[in-house]
Amino acid sequence: MKTIKGLFVVLAGMLLLNSTSTIAQEQTRPEFVTITTMHWNMDNKDFKMEEWKAVEKEYLDKVTMNNEHVANASFYLHRMTPDNTEILYAQSYPSWEAMGKAADRNTELEKSAWPDEKARTAFMKKRDAYYSPKHSDEIYATMPHAKRMTTAPTKDMICYVRKGHFAYGEGNNEEFEATSKEYFDNVTSKNEYIKAYYPMAHAWGSDRTESVEAFFLDSMADLDKMFDRDTELFESHWKDEAARKGMEEKSAKYFDGRHGDYVYTYVAGLAK
């Protein structure tokens, strides 16, 4: 991968430091995202992917789609991660209060969708049978300078996730806001292989330094093309070596150097 790749999370870290004030200016953007990391029930010997999709689609149509407190919801399947049993479920909310209200609303909608208690219990048991009891939850704050999906995907997509860690030290708001905007405007937003881009930062969970960036692409082949194109765009905007070095040095102070890469399949038919 190109060295320019290291700038992605650096800039996301810069955005975190200014996210609270910017969120107030972007009321159309959901404020929070919950990521539930679940695991397949490996003892389920009758597992069929299409049957799982049908069960989750029924729940989506009858409950999640009707829950006004949930802005978006989507599933992500393991593709290139350390754990092949992993499955992610992401939901976004317009506010912190909406997260609490969403759970209560789900209960109401479940009772409405399956008014017979036995039928409701049977469906939930069938749904739960696909998953291991083990799961974990993280809450992230959304950040500005996202590249939004222009139309709802009609087919599965590649979701490349990059996790980084912020360095809390020298720097100032004016510098990181100006630098992050300049990079987004001239690289990420112009990269035609990136169909959508969503940066997030830790709000509640196990690691307060964590940042997450999600890049949506049409195919695995577009992943390397994305990095090559980023390099082209970076070198086109910062035209000489001195300018590029200056940008990298300014950015580096906001990031501690660690990162992890993950690739998931976004399930198009199971999304709000």
Side-chain angles (χ1 to χ4, degrees):
M1 301 297 180
K2 306 294 185 179
T3 56
I4 185 60
K5 176 183 173 186
L7 287 173
F8 293 148
V9 178
V10 173
L11 296 173
M14 294 158 62
L15 286 167
L16 168 69
L17 303 177
N18 200 40
S19 62
T20 302
S21 61
T22 310
I23 281 174
Q25 302 168 21
E26 297 186 7
Q27 294 301 318
T28 59
R29 187 178 83 242
E31 284 198 40
F32 296 100
V33 176
T34 60
I35 305 290
T36 300
T37 302
M38 303 182 292
H39 300 271
W40 296 116
N41 176 8
M42 302 306 285
D43 294 326
N44 186 349
K45 304 304 180 184
D46 296 323
F47 176 84
K48 294 181 177 62
M49 181 62 71
E50 291 308 312
E51 291 180 0
W52 168 74
K53 287 183 179 180
V55 170
E56 286 296 352
K57 183 68 165 60
E58 183 175 359
Y59 190 89
L60 173 71
D61 290 343
K62 293 180 176 179
V63 179
T64 310
M65 293 297 289
N66 297 310
N67 191 329
E68 64 274 20
H69 303 296
V70 178
N72 306 99
S74 48
F75 281 94
Y76 300 83
L77 307 180
H78 154 89
R79 195 174 186 107
M80 295 178 65
T81 72
D83 186 348
N84 70 312
T85 72
E86 188 177 61
I87 176 171
L88 305 187
Y89 182 55
Q91 296 185 95
S92 64
Y93 306 89
S95 67
W96 188 271
E97 293 75 19
M99 283 189 283
K101 293 178 180 179
D104 293 337
R105 183 64 173 139
N106 277 347
T107 300
E108 295 174 359
L109 291 165
E110 288 167 4
K111 290 179 179 179
S112 176
W114 296 276
D116 180 79
E117 185 175 357
K118 288 185 178 179
R120 184 168 65 251
T121 300
F123 178 85
M124 297 305 170
K125 184 177 180 180
K126 180 179 180 181
R127 184 178 181 234
D128 290 344
Y130 288 102
Y131 308 108
S132 162
K134 176 185 176 184
H135 79 274
S136 62
D137 300 287
E138 299 284 342
I139 302 175
Y140 297 95
T142 62
M143 295 190 290
H145 304 310
K147 185 176 182 178
R148 300 180 184 279
M149 197 81 68
T150 55
T151 58
T154 58
K155 63 178 182 178
D156 292 355
M157 298 186 74
I158 295 300
C159 180
Y160 163 61
V161 175
R162 182 177 170 89
K163 294 184 180 182
H165 298 272
F166 309 123
Y168 295 92
E170 60 179 298
N172 61 77
N173 288 354
E174 291 75 15
E175 180 183 68
F176 64 65
E177 175 59 21
T179 308
S180 62
K181 186 177 187 306
E182 186 177 8
Y183 183 87
F184 177 82
D185 289 346
N186 292 284
V187 180
T188 306
S189 66
K190 292 183 178 180
N191 190 325
E192 64 271 24
Y193 296 106
I194 301 173
K195 303 306 179 184
Y197 165 74
Y198 300 100
M200 296 173 283
H202 162 92
W204 186 275
S206 57
D207 187 348
R208 70 180 290 266
T209 72
E210 188 178 57
S211 71
V212 175
E213 295 175 284
F215 299 80
F216 288 79
L217 309 105
D218 284 333
S219 67
M220 285 294 293
D222 286 348
L223 189 56
D224 278 336
K225 293 177 183 178
M226 177 189 78
F227 291 121
D228 290 339
R229 183 65 173 138
D230 273 336
T231 300
E232 292 173 2
L233 290 165
F234 181 76
E235 293 178 350
S236 175
H237 182 70
W238 289 275
K239 297 184 182 299
D240 59 70
E241 188 63 31
R244 291 193 286 271
K245 184 177 179 181
M247 171 63 172
E248 291 168 354
E249 288 178 349
K250 281 194 295 184
S251 302
K253 69 181 72 171
Y254 298 100
F255 185 56
D256 73 4
R258 297 176 293 150
H259 81 271
D261 302 287
Y262 310 81
V263 181
Y264 298 94
T265 298
Y266 164 86
V267 185
L270 296 180
K272 179 178 181 178

